[in-house]
Amino acid sequence: MGQIKSEIIAVGTELLLGQIANTNAQWISQQLALSGIDVYYHSVVGDNLTRVYEQFLQASKRSDVIIVTGGLGPTDDDLTREAFQRLTKLEMVEHKASMEKIASFFRKQQNKMTPNNKKQARTFAGAEVIKNNVGMAPGMIVTHQGKTWVFLPGVPKEMKPMVTNHVLPALTKRTGEFSIIRSTMLQFIGIGESRLEHELKPIIDQQSNPTIAPLAQDNGVAIRITAKADTSKKAEQLIQQTKTQILDGVGQYCYGVDNETLEEKVFQLLKEKDWTLAAAESLTGGMFSDKLVAIAGASAVFSGGIVCYDTKVKENVLHISPATIREKGTVSEACALEMAANVRKLLDSTVGISFTGVAGPDTIEGQQAGTVYIAIVTKNGNEQAEKFTFAGDRAAVRRKAVIKGYEILFNYLKL
Amino acid sequence: MGQIKSEIIAVGTELLLGQIANTNAQWISQQLALSGIDVYYHSVVGDNLTRVYEQFLQASKRSDVIIVTGGLGPTDDDLTREAFQRLTKLEMVEHKASMEKIASFFRKQQNKMTPNNKKQARTFAGAEVIKNNVGMAPGMIVTHQGKTWVFLPGVPKEMKPMVTNHVLPALTKRTGEFSIIRSTMLQFIGIGESRLEHELKPIIDQQSNPTIAPLAQDNGVAIRITAKADTSKKAEQLIQQTKTQILDGVGQYCYGVDNETLEEKVFQLLKEKDWTLAAAESLTGGMFSDKLVAIAGASAVFSGGIVCYDTKVKENVLHISPATIREKGTVSEACALEMAANVRKLLDSTVGISFTGVAGPDTIEGQQAGTVYIAIVTKNGNEQAEKFTFAGDRAAVRRKAVIKGYEILFNYLKL
């Protein structure tokens, strides 16, 4: 078991000005922890050649694996390559595939490539080049004087797939055997964090491996189970046992494992029943529909929706009766039920869901910001509507309404 | 003008495990930048006495002001005091007011105070003690061998009021006169980062104050202008001059300043013209509409939309002609134009916009993932449609399509 020391260096003045948080270091640390690689330091240094060089020099003395994010772009501010070259005197070469990709990008855009873009295709001789499937600059893994250096772009969506698909497998191979940590998350909704912790207290108290930690989330609560073992098989067995114990107690609130989302669960439940869904969205303005369409294959269960933010659209497209609007208002149980029933019929679906309410900051029809009605109506005649009062600003009210909509569907469909 | 160098050190293994992001460093950096204090480094080190000590030793050599967060709590893992004592040999004393507060807390809770809690009241002799109005451990400002050390709790709600009310005023006083830093961002779309830098190269090369830095963003590109001066008025004048120079060159691509979003700009332009907008969304599934509804007061310009993810909805609700679907397919310029025209009519709006395409991963009607048509049709008979090929996964294709839709509207409405 050769335990290796790693550190993460982020290069970028924008971090030192506080314009963004170093979430890259957080995410990479999580991934390394799961692979059993200890992280000893995070550092952030600005776009300054001497200071980046000095940070690299220090890292070369104290760590086995050094992961560097940022500073690989085309501009004069991007100095990661230059600083590493000053440290190692390694030769740089043009990486053909990357250069071809950059040139082709500019051809497709019918834009002239400015000379500074060529810099992004420059890699260290002997480096393992990691293809960038999202942006321009490739990543690199360089071995130098027994140390492993990993260079990654600072843009998270370019960096993350490189870590998952290349860096972790490469590091695991290089470091050989080490103690394995495996972790899983169980996702719950409809039960509070303290209630969940209370129900699970006997299990939590008797456990040390795996450990069980409740975490408040935007979408309900999660339980993280973390097991250590010599082999991944043993670690996974430990997790499986604890998972079964937990689900025996509070399984009815569990909608998913790891990164499974509530909308994915609703998608699956609809698919199992061979049902389709249609949405009428007022204050949520398309956010509910967007989350379903984000799932590949959504068309199998999602017919579509009407964003009826304007009252005229409620009347003219959704055909809400003028009497309902006059007598009950658009923010009412009656209107929510008609919206759900009519969108279901209009889009010829099994279930209709509707959202109407006051996102704020202003009141509507004398109702306070945060007041929201959500209704579901099914083809076989079930209908339910509920009133909610959500705290927070406009964005929070809209987000909470959408999550609650999925919770209502989850509770209805799981039966 | 004594420009001082500062750095921020966070102590805590939870950061190195990726359980939380170092948002403290981000927030403190923002505060220091506004006070004209340069931050040169962020570091994170775990709860290990030797490593914390070494980090402190390094900081004492390279920075004038060292801000340390975390490691002041009651447990054996909290080692900030011990590490600083090892470095400075300063004596520690019990801070009476803090000790009394801790004791009173345990009395109120009718809990026995465990001895380790006393540790939280220990402060360095000669330190300026900062009261903790939220939690237990006080903060400290210590001057040692010409360097200013600031020790703060790691819990953000305890740390932040200490910085605002004590640390910033104290640093300002100690450093005497210093330069003010002001920063602004100009947001661009329709011009790439390297092209923008190329166009602005003459301005960038001749400038040292303000500095001009291009930044790639999800929504186009931004230029950060940062000016230093003795007074905020002078700093703002410098920014204004540079802003005018930049906008003279590439102003037609600029949609906003600082945090203004592209959708807010589109919202404003619609409002100025007193126009309304309706959206027909297939692959974007409500995401375009959601971004507009997120803006307070959106109802003045946004009628609503149809999420026509399913072909049946395109036919039955949007009334796309069967001939178009049969002969051209749903992913076609003809279909996009009909969608935009029909949603505009159906929702009685000035402008209709439509999105149809292949989000992926699968192909549709023989068209590759990433193929997207976007059309706009106006009441006064203007119509335009364009085909795009977006790279990336399903989420990227959908996001890029939505941004492109706003870009098309921006270009059309700004004329």
Side-chain angles (χ1 to χ4, degrees), chain A residues 7 14 42 45 56 65 71 107-108 155 171 178 180 184 224 256-257 274 277 279 282 298 312 329 349:
Chain A
E7 70 174 283
E14 67 279 14
H42 294 171
V45 59
F56 286 1
V65 171
R107 272 199 306 276
K108 270 189 205 153
V155 178
L171 291 180
F178 53 82
I180 295 285
T184 196
R224 189 178 53 227
V257 174
D274 201 15
L277 176 70
S282 180
K312 276 193 312 188
S349 307

Side-chain angles (χ1 to χ4, degrees), chain A residues 55-123:
Chain A
Q55 201 73 40
F56 286 1
L57 178 64
Q58 180 184 48
S60 72
K61 293 176 184 164
R62 68 184 183 185
S63 299
D64 306 309
V65 171
I66 301 110
I67 298 182
V68 182
T69 59
L72 297 179
T75 76
D76 288 348
D77 275 355
D78 292 300
L79 295 163
T80 294
R81 284 182 196 82
E82 289 77 358
F84 189 62
Q85 203 175 23
R86 184 185 285 193
L87 178 74
T88 61
K89 319 288 181 238
L90 281 176
E91 200 192 331
M92 297 213 73
V93 293
E94 186 174 286
H95 186 249
K96 286 229 172 63
S98 299
M99 192 60 241
E100 181 40 43
K101 186 181 167 189
I102 295 168
S104 136
F105 172 82
F106 281 94
R107 272 199 306 276
K108 270 189 205 153
Q109 306 278 315
Q110 300 186 306
N111 253 328
K112 222 186 131 190
M113 185 178 74
T114 52
N116 54 2
N117 276 288
K118 284 194 180 169
K119 183 174 153 184
Q120 296 187 85
R122 293 192 71 74
T123 57

